[in-house]
Amino acid sequence: QVQLVESGGGLVQAGASLRLSCAASGRTFSSSAMGWFRQAPGKEREFVATIRYTIGRTNYADFVKDRFTISRDNAENTVYLQMNSLKPEDTAVYYCAASKTDLYQWAYWGQGTQVTVSS
């Protein structure tokens, strides 16, 4: 059974940093695309960042460019999201997603981790 488990969320002040982790189990995702999405109260889930198997193939939403960094440790089957200079509008539940291939076809989702940024 495939599981994605996020961790690292919390309550921080504006300008702070957080590092989210997503540990995968049940299969290896070293050759798969993985990503982070978020959903704020009353809003639809939105794309934050993705990383593909091909080295260097990362993609970011405009609103997180130069602040967030996605990375992966294939040996640990884990993907990370380093979030710097957090803003109150970054408050949301952050979800990890994984594809079965290196394409953006999200087959698996985590349960989410809450990030709350106070002003």
Side-chain angles (χ1 to χ4, degrees), residues 11 19 36-37 45-46 55:
L11 171 62
R19 188 193 194 205
W36 288 94
F37 295 76
R45 189 174 299 188
E46 62 182 354
I55 294 175

Side-chain angles (χ1 to χ4, degrees), residues 2 7 15 29 33 35 39 46 55 57-58 60 62 66 69 80 83 86 96 106-108:
V2 174
S7 61
F29 291 98
Q39 187 168 18
E46 62 182 354
I55 294 175
R57 293 291 296 273
T58 58
Y60 297 92
D62 286 343
D66 300 324
T69 303
Y80 302 97
M83 305 187 296
L86 283 163
C96 173
W106 309 113
Y108 307 102

Side-chain angles (χ1 to χ4, degrees), residues 68-82:
F68 292 8
T69 303
I70 188 171
S71 61
R72 66 192 300 164
D73 183 337
N74 286 336
E76 296 294 327
N77 219 19
T78 298
V79 64
Y80 302 97
L81 185 68
Q82 177 67 43

